[in-house]
Amino acid sequence: MAAIDPTAGIRSVLVPIDGSPASMDAVLLACAIAKKNKGKVYAVHVIEVKRSLPLDAELPDKATSGEDLLTRAEKVATEADFRIEGELLQAREAGHAIVDEAMERGVELILMGAEHKAAAGEYQMGRVTQYVMRAAPCSVWLWRHPVHE
């Protein structure tokens, strides 16, 4: 029986980044997949804008922080001998922005890093991850680090 390669044919990957170690590892994994398939990786960081502000509000601290995260992701990719495209987005809801970006770019995979969050001994998925898992038009993979107790 031939082995199945779940990465075969994946040429475009969207990686939402939040600065967590898991999201940076997701960038590295996305680069390996895209490199193998001669594809592209798009890293996005979403700044959520409060409803009390206009959507295009100037948020210099958050923008600087987001640009720093994208620079870190680009460095991770460079160390893997791969080049990614990074984009800073502003939206009311990060999950919606990630799904919209995936549709706009026509990606085949969203690869999300997630840190372990336990409540009452059970893994709790954040609202952004839940939304993306439910609404994405493509495959969604979740990269979660092992639990260290």
Side-chain angles (χ1 to χ4, degrees), residues 13-17 27 40-46 66-67 69-75 77 83-89 101 105:
V13 185
L14 181 72
V15 185
I17 58 169
V27 169
K40 289 190 167 207
V41 173
Y42 306 99
V44 296
H45 177 73
V46 182
E67 290 293 345
L69 292 177
L70 290 170
T71 299
R72 279 180 49 204
E74 289 167 357
K75 184 176 179 188
R83 188 176 178 285
I84 64 172
E85 290 183 32
E87 188 164 355
L88 189 61
L89 306 172
E101 191 72 9
R105 293 188 181 273

Side-chain angles (χ1 to χ4, degrees), residues 88-119:
L88 189 61
L89 306 172
Q90 282 193 195
R92 298 284 183 216
E93 299 282 338
H96 292 263
I98 293 164
V99 169
D100 287 349
E101 191 72 9
M103 287 190 295
E104 186 175 307
R105 293 188 181 273
V107 299
E108 295 149 325
L109 173 65
I110 298 172
L111 181 53
M112 299 182 74
E115 293 299 316
H116 186 265
K117 297 174 192 148

Side-chain angles (χ1 to χ4, degrees), residues 16-79:
I17 58 169
D18 60 7
S20 67
S23 74
M24 292 302 155
D25 284 351
V27 169
L28 189 60
L29 179 56
C31 289
I33 293 167
K35 190 175 186 179
K36 174 184 158 203
N37 297 315
K38 297 179 177 61
K40 289 190 167 207
V41 173
Y42 306 99
V44 296
H45 177 73
V46 182
I47 298 170
E48 289 189 313
V49 181
K50 295 178 183 177
R51 296 199 185 282
S52 60
L53 298 172
L55 192 53
D56 62 352
E58 294 288 326
L59 303 168
D61 292 342
K62 289 186 178 189
T64 299
S65 175
E67 290 293 345
D68 290 346
L69 292 177
L70 290 170
T71 299
R72 279 180 49 204
E74 289 167 357
K75 184 176 179 188
V76 166
T78 299
E79 290 171 0

